[in-house]
Amino acid sequence: MAVLAYSLGKREINHYFSIKNAKLLSAVAVLLLAVLHSIARYYGGEDSCGWLLSSGRFLGENVWQPYGCMMHKYKSSEAKTCLERKRVAFMGDSRIRQLFYSYVKIINPEVREDGNKHENIHIEDKSASLNVDFLWYAEVNNSMKERFICCCKLYTSTIPFTDVALQCCIGDVTAFPQWSIKLNSGSIETLHQYKANLSSIAHLMEKLAQESEVYWVLQDPVYEEKLSDSRKMITNEQLEHYNEAAVDVLNGSKRTSTTRVKVLGAARQAALETISESPDGLHLPEGTRDVGAMVLMNAVCNKVLKPIDGSCCQPLPPPNLLQKLTACIFLVAVVVFLVIRLLGRNRHPKGKPVSDVESGAEKKPALATSVAGPKGALQAVCKMGLIMAYFYLCDRADLFMKEQKFYTHSTFFIPLIYIFVLGIFYSENSKESKLLNREQTDEWKGWMQLVILIYHISGASAFIPVYMHVRVLVAAYLFQTGYGHFSFFWLKGDFGLYRVCQVLFRLNFLVIVLCLVMDRPYQFYYFVPLVTFWFVVIYSILAIWPQIVQKKANGSGIWHLGVLVKLACLLLLICCFAYSQVTTHRDLLTLIHEWWFRWKLDRFAVIYGMLFAFVYLVLQKCQVLSEGKGEALFSNRISNCLLFVSVVSFLTYSIWASSCKNKTECNEFHPYVSVVQILAFILIRNIPGYIRSLYSSFFAWFGKISLELFICQYHIWLAADTKGILVLVPGNPMLNVIVSTFIFVCVAHEISQVTNDLAQVAIPKESPALLRRILGMAIFLGAVLLLSTQQTGH
């Protein structure tokens, strides 16, 4: 009964939840979310800078997440670069002095808090010609007003602006009413006087804000139970009244958004959650005051340095020439397609089998009809244009929000458990039971890709044991690259130009389009250049004379030795390239640092895969293996022995990886030892016949679009070029991940189909036509490279 219920339940799910319905639902969700975010932006009146200054939440104990944008963690060198030749002043009492020191420690972590109480403090950094002052003003009174009058006179004098900025640039302004409350026992008259005094200097702050940035820091709460007897009259209710008065005065005068005094409320919101940790009920814990300092640094410096992981207060760059031309091409394609449809020139050609460029096998167009010809190509280009518009809105336009990553064990391991339960739920009998059959390799790619996605969105690279195991998964993907391409060339003997172009198109089409739309260099999507490089290497090694394939090797065993010689030569080239980079390739590698790091990290993975494929295919030809349904791969004794060794090897690697303390040291060993866990997994998965005869259709489905999933995550699941997380549903992180993931997977699947459709048209089998297409593509890429070089030069 349980088995029957399981089968019926799975059938019901598959019947109602088809990929076609999922894509329609995701398209509706995108349109609805875009409209809602546009309305919120139009009527909300706040931008990312307003979000940064006003609200946020703690991720964990001391990581502050502003509402809807990403906050960069500034280093000393970055802060000095941003604030070079500037003067910053903090005005207030002891709690502002705390903020002052936290701000200064970002600039120079060696500064000590040894200034005298109730006195002004001056700190100078001569290397950056930077001056930071703390001005002791405990109350909003005539003395503070005179200070503002002094500064304003400097701005209206004949002194050049640059010199004025050096002499008096009030970067951060605040005044605490707690002294007024304390000295006047919290009387209502004191509140009215505070508001009147603040009103009298508001126009001076406004005038100062025209030439510099002025921030008013709202009052932090107190922890009333810890306050001393002399401070008992300071209550959170009274402080709230003073905050309301300050906001009313500062927002009440007629000022434009570019010159108004900015109100910093995020520090107060952070303090609301941590004030109970205050040593005296008044002064903030160090981690909380650091939040305020970093918020101020982001508000000032993000627009100057434009860090990729600091989206708060950062203006968007205008589209460049290539982006505009790409948009025009897609727009023209859409217009032409609509005209053709309106004229009634609709044809529905039969779907052709789509060549799987990684294995050489043919896939039937089960999920969507593959189209050919100009009409089909035009339709595919239109779909791609709409998808790229979504990419641009997600990660280049100021429509959707972004948030930073924060790792916890639960954010990584709980989703991991969910997906493996789903994978087991969708277990099915495989059509064939050969070692690493097509269904099994798709399954392998699928679950690896899902683990890598969870690893990226959860920020799990901060946890070294997870980092090292994910490094093995990346190596395993390259292992499969070597295994798959070697197997194809060895069995098929097809070294034709059509096959090569099919593979290169499939691997690179999406990335090239993204380079144009998202204004990123080709090497930014490091994995695609990496697998492209290795495909070219594998093809070159096997295609050069003498071409050795299985059919030739069957005639004479000496050819097997020739294959091993070729692999040995490849290994020698890899070693020479890896160890000669310091002197030979230094200038080149500065341009492709990420690619080089990844290449060196897994430099032997592909050759491991090629060697494994060679040994396996030879053993298979010699009928050494038993690959029937339910049969163990070897005899019982050998199988049990290999299984024991594999389990021990797998666990040994895991123990070693979990004990890693330093990424750099463990990465040095990774190229040599990662193959241990890869081979152990293959043997554990394939030696028992009953396990080899099963596969997860859930994981295999994701495995078929693993390349698209890996690339698309850069911009429509993650954000800020993978540095953050895309926020489609603000205020609910769990629901946001569910919605964004659903749309992301649907988009990746559609891109896979579009790529296959265009490959049929772009890569013809006829040699003359194919050569013309290659020439046209070379001219196009040359023009793109020329335009991008000219833009970089400007």
Side-chain angles (χ1 to χ4, degrees), residues 318-334:
N320 61 30
L321 179 60
L322 281 176
Q323 289 174 302
K324 292 176 181 178
L325 289 175
T326 304
C328 289
I329 292 172
F330 282 129
L331 186 60
V332 169
V334 171

Side-chain angles (χ1 to χ4, degrees), residues 214 263 670 791:
V214 181
V263 177
H670 171 78
Q791 288 182 163

Side-chain angles (χ1 to χ4, degrees), residues 581-593:
Q581 61 95 10
V582 174
T583 57
T584 308
H585 313 291
R586 181 177 298 168
D587 293 336
L588 173 64
L589 297 179
T590 55
L591 302 175
I592 54 173
H593 172 75

Side-chain angles (χ1 to χ4, degrees), residues 201-253:
I201 65 171
H203 72 283
L204 297 174
M205 287 192 288
E206 175 189 346
K207 190 172 184 179
L208 192 59
Q210 294 176 2
E211 304 293 347
S212 63
E213 296 193 39
V214 181
Y215 297 87
W216 184 274
V217 183
L218 294 182
Q219 299 304 303
D220 295 324
V222 295
Y223 194 63
E224 298 176 14
E225 297 178 7
K226 290 185 178 181
L227 289 175
S228 63
D229 292 338
S230 62
R231 294 169 175 166
K232 285 295 184 182
M233 71 289 297
I234 304 174
T235 65
N236 287 318
E237 183 180 359
Q238 287 178 325
L239 290 174
E240 186 61 29
H241 290 319
Y242 278 84
N243 281 335
E244 290 174 358
V247 172
D248 183 56
V249 169
L250 296 175
N251 289 340
S253 59

